[in-house]
């Protein structure tokens, strides 16, 4: 019982039982040195079938944390987390400095092919930069690639 009182989760979350059909998906661990929003998106995608099980979403999320991120979790005040939404908010707030900066579509026009490198290399760099764009239009992407 002393373990529960030290947990950042409310007692209802700590004491909840997982659904009978629950099977733990595979997760990449988060240790605090990567994009927290991306980790959260991956987690929510993997847990899509259980998104309505608030207690389960909270408890399983903590298993994806390791190292400094797990240490951070246990510094949260006891009984301070009531929902997965709250947990998501404090998590992204804590690790917001590691979020990748999204760029606008015009950024793609700055990606140039180096004449000394292969077309394959250019395509790889272009795709990497395209992934950083918030919203893009296919015709603009095509124009930037052809340029």
């Amino acid at each position: 019982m002393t373990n529960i009182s030290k947990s950042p989760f409310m007692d209802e979350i700590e004491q909840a039982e997982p659904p009978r059909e629950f099977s733990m998906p595979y997760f990449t661990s988060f240790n605090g040195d990567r994009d927290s929003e991306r980790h959260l998106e991956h987690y929510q995608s993997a847990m899509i079938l259980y998104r309505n099980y608030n207690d389960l979403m909270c408890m399983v999320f903590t298993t994806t944390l390791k190292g400094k991120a797990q240490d951070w979790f246990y510094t949260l005040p006891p009984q301070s987390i009531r929902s997965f939404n709250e947990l998501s908010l404090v998590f992204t707030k804590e690790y917001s400095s590691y979020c990748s900066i999204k760029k606008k579509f015009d950024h793609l026009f700055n990606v140039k092919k180096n004449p000394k490198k292969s077309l394959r290399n250019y395509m790889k760099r272009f795709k990497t930069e395209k992934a950083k764009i918030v919203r893009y239009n296919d015709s603009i992407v095509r124009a930037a690639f052809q340029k």
Side-chain angles (χ1 to χ4, degrees):
M1 199 64 170
T2 54
N3 244 2
I4 291 175
S5 64
K6 292 181 181 180
S7 170
F9 293 130
M10 300 295 287
D11 289 340
E12 298 80 38
I13 294 173
E14 281 288 334
Q15 296 168 355
E17 293 290 325
R20 198 175 284 165
E21 73 279 2
F22 178 69
S23 176
M24 181 77 92
Y26 171 76
F27 299 107
T28 305
S29 296
F30 180 84
N31 63 8
D33 63 349
R34 293 189 329 269
D35 186 339
S36 60
E37 287 182 13
R38 193 171 191 165
H39 178 73
L40 197 55
E41 287 170 1
H42 169 72
Y43 175 76
Q44 289 174 315
S45 295
M47 292 288 288
I48 192 78
L49 296 175
Y50 304 100
R51 69 181 178 270
N52 293 328
Y53 292 88
N54 179 62
D55 305 334
L56 183 67
M57 291 291 288
C58 288
M59 294 302 289
V60 173
F61 184 75
T62 62
T63 67
T64 70
L65 305 177
K66 72 174 187 177
K68 292 178 182 177
Q70 193 172 50
D71 294 344
W72 161 81
F73 174 75
Y74 287 105
T75 65
L76 295 173
Q79 307 273 315
S80 61
I81 304 293
R82 292 178 190 84
S83 68
F84 182 69
N85 285 340
E86 281 184 25
L87 179 59
S88 300
L89 182 66
V90 295
F91 175 73
T92 52
K93 186 177 178 182
E94 177 68 21
Y95 292 102
S96 62
S97 62
Y98 290 101
C99 291
S100 57
I101 298 169
K102 299 292 183 182
K103 299 181 178 184
K104 294 183 180 177
F105 70 87
D106 59 349
H107 166 71
L108 291 176
F109 287 97
N110 296 325
V111 181
K112 308 272 190 235
K113 183 187 175 303
N114 183 336
K116 296 178 182 176
K117 302 238 174 158
S118 69
L119 179 60
R120 182 177 307 238
N121 175 272
Y122 169 69
M123 290 175 66
K124 186 177 179 181
R125 284 187 307 111
F126 190 87
K127 284 182 180 180
T128 300
E129 295 305 314
K130 183 179 138 195
K132 296 176 185 176
I133 307 295
V134 179
R135 290 182 196 93
Y136 62 86
N137 177 310
D138 284 334
S139 61
I140 293 173
V141 170
R142 215 174 1 264
F145 180 77
Q146 290 171 342
K147 183 183 174 285

